[in-house]
Amino acid sequence: MLNHKGTIKIETDRLILRRFSIDDASSMLNNWASDPDVCKYMRWTPHKNKEETKKVLSDSLDLYNKEFFYKWAITLKEGEPIGSIGLFVVNENDLCEDVAYCIGRKYWGQGIATEALKAILSFAFEIVGFNRIETYHSINNPASGRVMQKSGMIFEGLAKQKYKSIFGFEDSNMYSIIKEDFKKQVK
């Protein structure tokens, strides 16, 4: 049985993971949502304007009242949102969740995505009670795989045409971690 908490504030050494607000539209647009390099392997095209970003945010804001909805703004402690991370139920009966994230190009290579992912894994296992967290990345985006590896996730294999990005179907590397292995890493 899962102990859903919804999107609650999570703090790490450098980050605050929090709910989005409509006031985050400019930061989201400027820091990642309009950048073709960030969107390259995503399911959405770069945002063209603030109104488009507000619409995306508005759709998420409506879901925050659901205790099983998990989507955080990644913010530096002293700043504005620089990315997003979320959990998406794969199979609640199996206590399995999928995690997805993106971060502004200016913040790549600084360990921020890894720090956010580790915090979300801890929350998912220790607070909500998931047994397995899985995710995947396009084989053309190995940097995302490094984030997964640094977070303790294990490569499970290649999934042909796993998802459709803005460029077409993407072959993907699959990663996962189970609660038991996560607990061993934390000790």
Side-chain angles (χ1 to χ4, degrees):
M1 178 91 176
L2 294 173
N3 183 28
H4 286 297
K5 297 292 185 184
T7 306
I8 62 173
K9 181 179 170 184
I10 299 171
E11 199 165 326
T12 70
D13 290 341
R14 297 183 292 169
L15 307 174
I16 294 175
L17 308 178
R18 61 162 175 82
R19 291 180 175 200
F20 280 97
S21 76
I22 202 70
D23 295 334
D24 294 326
S26 291
S27 298
M28 182 176 174
L29 179 68
N30 296 331
N31 288 334
W32 76 92
S34 64
D35 187 335
D37 284 339
V38 173
C39 303
K40 193 181 323 187
Y41 304 110
M42 299 297 179
R43 296 171 192 235
W44 43 273
T45 57
H47 295 190
K48 294 174 183 63
N49 53 51
K50 190 173 176 179
E51 289 67 38
E52 184 177 356
T53 304
K54 279 185 172 182
K55 170 71 172 104
V56 169
L57 282 173
S58 179
D59 292 345
S60 290
L61 297 178
D62 291 342
L63 295 171
Y64 278 131
N65 62 351
K66 305 218 181 282
E67 64 181 9
F68 55 83
F69 181 72
Y70 300 105
K71 186 174 183 182
W72 292 267
I74 301 171
T75 65
L76 296 174
K77 283 194 174 173
E78 69 281 351
E80 62 190 6
I82 59 171
S84 68
I85 189 165
L87 290 167
F88 308 93
V89 174
V90 173
N91 186 319
E92 188 153 334
N93 186 58
D94 294 337
L95 308 179
C96 184
E97 193 90 344
D98 181 15
V99 64
Y101 50 86
C102 66
I103 193 164
R105 184 175 8 157
K106 177 180 170 185
Y107 304 95
W108 292 354
Q110 299 175 35
I112 294 170
T114 301
E115 188 172 330
L117 180 53
K118 284 180 175 181
I120 295 306
L121 292 173
S122 179
F123 170 80
F125 290 131
E126 297 172 6
I127 306 298
V128 183
F130 283 100
N131 182 60
R132 175 184 165 91
I133 306 296
E134 57 188 42
T135 192
Y136 51 88
H137 69 87
S138 168
I139 61 170
N140 298 309
N141 186 12
S144 190
R146 286 191 293 279
V147 169
M148 295 167 194
Q149 291 166 3
K150 290 177 188 175
S151 298
M153 300 184 89
I154 305 299
F155 176 73
E156 290 192 332
L158 174 70
K160 299 291 284 178
Q161 298 186 2
K162 170 69 175 153
Y163 74 102
K164 189 175 181 183
S165 75
I166 61 176
F167 294 114
F169 287 102
E170 298 281 348
D171 291 347
S172 299
N173 286 331
M174 300 288 298
Y175 286 81
S176 75
I177 188 167
I178 60 173
K179 187 177 196 173
E180 177 183 319
D181 293 341
F182 179 80
K183 284 183 173 182
K184 290 177 189 172
Q185 292 176 11
V186 174
K187 289 182 180 180

